[in-house]
Amino acid sequence: MVTLDRLVNVLGGYGARLCCCPVAREVALRDVVMDDPADPRGLRGDVYLAVGVESVREAVERATAARASVVLVRGATPPGPDEIAGRVAVLLVDPEVSWGQLAGVVYGLVLEGRETESGRGPTDLFALADSLADALGSAVTIEDQLSRVLAYSSRQQGADRVRLETILGRRVPDQVRELFERRGVFAHLAQSDEPLFVEADPEHGLTGRMVVAVRAGRESLGSIWVECEEPLSDVRRTVLHDSSRTVGLHLLRSRASADLERQVESDLVIRLLEGTPDAAAVLSRLGLPPGRFRVVALQAHIADERHAALLLAFERATTGFGWSRPGRSTLFSNTVYTVLPGEDVATARAWIDGIRDALPAQVTVAAGIGAPASTAELPASRRESDECLALHDVRPDPGATVAYDESWDDILILRLRAAAAAGRAPARGPIADLARHDAANSTSYVATLRAWLETQGDLTEAAERLGVHPNTIRYRLRKMADVTPLRLDLPAKRLAMIIELAVADPQD
């Protein structure tokens, strides 16, 4: 079954943009009709192709008469509110896209996913779960390798508490996963293709289960779970075992489709982040509206294994279709980059929190947020997000998300330290002279000068910071002048020394 959400996401790659949506994004699309004024019969269909109709208002009226959920109209100018009033979603198509191309994509997408008489699509994983449940006489759940629900059968008779919680939560409850882990269920699934019986556990509300791994070659794609109070008979075990291959083919097809879309999206996002003269066209293909954006740089790791969970983070960032995903992402080197519409930093932080919450608890996520940027400024926002991400290595709270416009001062210091590390810091001068004197004579001249400069010459505050008397500060300043010419009366000299001290101190 194809939903409106899916249609919007796919057509975004062909220059179509959603202008309004008064209907639910989960609405099912089963039929396609093309405008034909010469046809005396009343047209009926879920997707209305307004071929040759130049007025958005007229296209909406015709689509409404056809009882369509969405209408496709070609045009370069977004319609006004008075043109799109009604209960039909409007997709504005780039004039450069031919109706021939568009019709081929729409017909192929909608008709391939059209429901059968049973109410399930011919390639629907839910339909396969139903068929398997009928063959085994028991409720079936199909899960991925992280115990997230991919499909489940409509058969619910005698469903236990664990099955209900799994379906409602779209994932096996944590305490039940821990139970399976202790019993060696996951270890068995990782090593064997044979079905395994999992005994009941009344304390957790679990009746018995038969489970079999789903693989593509040696790679685990997920598992099939059958609710049963005792092990299945040999005949039904064989049915379950054979079905795992069929489910594997479905999952491979689904993955191939999703991976292809991710690859196209990833390539387009990279073009934006590197800078491209046709940025407006790239935005249109990604289904993003013109405006201001923020670039988010994200990394994920487990314990000391750097980037071990990066693919999981990228999968989560690219899960969903159409406007259900606010941003568009790419996986480049060891970082997930996401272009998020809008300027509000709180929105970007909420998106990062959503990624963090969706990943397993043992995964640590670090992220940086670039400053608001126009389309042409996205390469600069990407560099800023990288620099914000680098601050996680020097800040005491590595879990806090850094935003450039809140931490530009820290990033400036980071840039200067990078220059100093490349050998561009002065090896001679007042600070270097005082540092050598401190090392040779156990004095505290550098710390004293720092305190005096940071307190803008306030002897009392500087003395409190160092735990000495103000007269001690005066005495040390006089002695420093004997070591090196400080010229504290010149603002430019003071500024240069503050910068050099900040760059030299990694704790800043």
Side-chain angles (χ1 to χ4, degrees), residues 4 7 27-33 44-48 63 66-71 88 110:
L4 176 59
L7 182 72
V27 63
L29 306 177
R30 303 175 180 83
D31 302 291
V32 183
V33 293
R44 292 288 186 272
D46 298 319
V47 183
Y48 194 93
R67 299 179 184 176
S69 299
V70 58
V71 59
V88 181
V110 174

Side-chain angles (χ1 to χ4, degrees), residues 52-244:
V53 181
E54 298 182 356
S55 166
V56 175
R57 184 198 299 274
E58 183 181 355
V60 170
E61 290 175 353
R62 295 188 184 187
T64 302
R67 299 179 184 176
S69 299
V70 58
V71 59
L72 275 67
V73 188
R74 284 178 65 185
T77 305
D82 59 324
E83 296 181 271
I84 55 178
R87 296 187 57 79
V88 181
V90 178
L91 269 170
L92 191 67
V93 182
D94 192 313
E96 298 298 319
V97 181
S98 71
W99 276 115
Q101 284 182 306
L102 206 61
V105 173
V106 173
Y107 274 101
L109 186 67
V110 174
L111 297 185
E112 182 183 17
R114 188 168 56 188
E115 291 184 351
T116 60
E117 294 180 358
S118 66
R120 301 290 189 178
T123 60
D124 195 345
L125 203 58
F126 283 84
L128 185 56
D130 275 345
S131 299
L132 184 55
D134 291 340
L136 299 177
S138 301
V140 170
T141 305
I142 302 174
E143 301 171 7
D144 68 8
Q145 62 269 40
L146 295 178
S147 298
R148 293 175 300 194
V149 177
L150 299 174
Y152 55 89
S153 64
S154 57
R155 177 189 292 268
Q156 300 290 347
Q157 295 92 335
D160 60 23
R161 191 175 77 231
V162 170
R163 175 177 170 83
L164 297 177
E165 291 178 356
T166 298
I167 292 175
L168 290 175
R170 307 299 297 172
R171 189 173 186 270
V172 175
D174 290 340
Q175 65 272 20
V176 179
R177 277 183 55 85
E178 293 172 1
L179 173 66
F180 292 158
E181 188 77 46
R182 291 195 302 270
R183 291 187 176 183
V185 176
F186 295 129
H188 172 87
L189 293 176
Q191 300 172 359
S192 175
D193 294 332
E194 291 300 316
L196 172 72
F197 180 68
V198 181
E199 294 185 356
D201 189 300
E203 180 181 350
H204 289 86
L206 176 75
T207 58
R209 292 285 193 278
M210 287 293 295
V211 59
V212 67
V214 176
R215 298 187 208 285
R218 297 182 180 180
E219 182 182 1
S220 174
L221 299 178
S223 53
I224 304 173
W225 297 76
V226 182
E227 187 171 340
C228 52
E229 296 182 356
E230 56 186 26
L232 296 175
S233 65
D234 290 344
V235 173
R236 290 184 172 180
R237 283 171 65 96
T238 301
V239 170
L240 177 59
H241 183 272
D242 293 344
S243 297
S244 67

Side-chain angles (χ1 to χ4, degrees), residues 402-418:
V402 182
Y404 180 84
D405 37 338
E406 298 172 351
S407 304
W408 64 268
D409 52 333
D410 292 328
I411 290 170
L412 174 60
I413 298 299
L414 203 63
R415 290 176 181 175
L416 294 172
R417 286 181 185 148

Side-chain angles (χ1 to χ4, degrees), residues 6 9-10 109 112 250-264 321:
R6 170 78 169 170
N9 182 71
V10 173
L109 186 67
E112 182 183 17
H250 278 68
L251 295 185
L252 276 178
R253 178 177 179 178
S254 176
R255 172 186 284 190
S257 174
D259 285 349
L260 178 59
E261 291 175 10
R262 285 188 175 108
Q263 184 60 54
V264 172
F321 302 104

Side-chain angles (χ1 to χ4, degrees), residues 433-455:
D433 292 341
L434 293 177
R436 283 191 289 269
H437 188 278
D438 284 349
N441 300 280
S442 300
T443 53
S444 303
Y445 289 166
V446 172
T448 301
L449 180 60
R450 172 190 286 276
W452 187 85
L453 290 170
E454 290 180 349
T455 59

Side-chain angles (χ1 to χ4, degrees), residues 420 423-436 500:
R424 300 175 64 182
R428 295 183 292 178
I431 304 300
D433 292 341
L434 293 177
R436 283 191 289 269
E500 186 175 351

